[in-house]
Amino acid sequence: MQSLESQFFSFLVTLLMGLTIGILFDFYNVTKGIIRPRKAGTYLGDLLFWVITTIVVFFMLLIGNWGELRFYVIIGILAGVVCYIKFLSPMVIKILLYIICFFKTVLAGIAKGLRFFWFIVSYPVILLGNIIIIPVGLLGRTCNKLCSFTGRQSERFIKKPAREKSVLLKKNIKNKLNSLVNRKP
């Protein structure tokens, strides 16, 4: 039989288990409210919540009364959850929201700093690229237009007359060959 002191300690541990379950539940609800997962994410989060809660309760039960599950343990856990919900839950939710807002602000500041650092590092490269790319692009467009113009002019003044002359030359050669072949002795 356990002494009154050890029973009182066990009961306090079970009350602490109930408070811990309440804190875990509020933490899960606050994070779920911020993240807003879809249906599958909610199922996975619920499963994860209960697995973590079961592990925490199991280890606290081992510490409190060597893992014995008695009726007063269930009453102590329920009493701890009810006390937490009645007295501590609103304050813990405010603290959790404050901590999350603080971390959000810190992460936003870090992101701004990284963006600024990236701007400082990449701006010279972008500027150098623009200094090189814009003139090269203009030169390329000018060369493209010049090549297009010379292509049209060569078509007009060189290729077309050459084609016409080659057709005439073929006809002349054909006529000469025909006249040589068809000549009567």
Side-chain angles (χ1 to χ4, degrees):
M1 184 154 187
Q2 292 180 339
S3 66
L4 187 60
E5 183 180 298
S6 67
Q7 288 179 0
F8 184 71
F9 175 74
S10 296
F11 188 71
L12 282 178
V13 169
T14 58
L15 283 174
L16 188 62
M17 277 189 252
L19 291 173
T20 306
I21 291 170
I23 291 171
L24 288 173
F25 183 72
D26 276 346
F27 179 76
Y28 173 62
N29 275 339
V30 167
T31 26
K32 188 170 75 170
I34 290 173
I35 296 173
R36 296 183 185 186
R38 294 191 177 157
K39 200 172 191 179
T42 302
Y43 290 146
L44 186 65
D46 289 348
L47 179 68
L48 187 65
F49 166 75
W50 283 110
V51 166
I52 291 172
T53 302
T54 303
I55 291 170
V56 167
V57 167
F58 175 74
F59 281 114
M60 290 181 86
L61 203 56
L62 282 177
I63 291 170
N65 62 355
W66 300 98
E68 294 178 358
L69 188 59
R70 309 253 175 166
F71 185 67
Y72 73 88
V73 171
I74 295 170
I75 291 175
I77 290 173
L78 289 175
V81 168
V82 168
C83 287
Y84 173 79
I85 290 172
K86 283 283 188 190
F87 302 112
L88 297 175
S89 181
M91 181 177 62
V92 169
I93 289 174
K94 284 180 185 176
I95 291 171
L96 286 173
L97 288 173
Y98 177 76
I99 290 171
I100 289 171
C101 285
F102 174 75
F103 278 117
K104 213 174 178 182
T105 306
V106 167
L107 290 175
I110 290 172
K112 280 183 180 178
L114 288 174
R115 272 186 294 211
F116 180 71
F117 176 73
W118 179 252
F119 175 76
I120 294 296
V121 169
S122 66
Y123 186 73
V125 174
I126 292 170
L127 185 63
L128 184 63
N130 286 340
I131 289 172
I132 292 171
I133 289 173
I134 290 174
V136 169
L138 289 174
L139 183 65
R141 261 188 261 133
T142 305
C143 286
N144 193 11
K145 287 182 181 180
L146 185 63
C147 289
S148 175
F149 175 75
T150 55
R152 284 192 311 268
Q153 296 308 318
S154 70
E155 175 73 31
R156 183 173 163 195
F157 292 113
I158 298 171
K159 289 181 183 175
K160 192 174 180 184
R163 230 179 290 133
E164 290 172 356
K165 288 190 179 187
S166 70
V167 168
L168 284 174
L169 186 63
K170 270 187 196 177
K171 282 183 182 177
N172 286 339
I173 292 173
K174 200 175 189 183
N175 288 336
K176 294 272 185 194
L177 284 174
N178 280 337
S179 69
L180 285 175
V181 172
N182 291 336
R183 209 178 216 216
K184 294 194 181 183

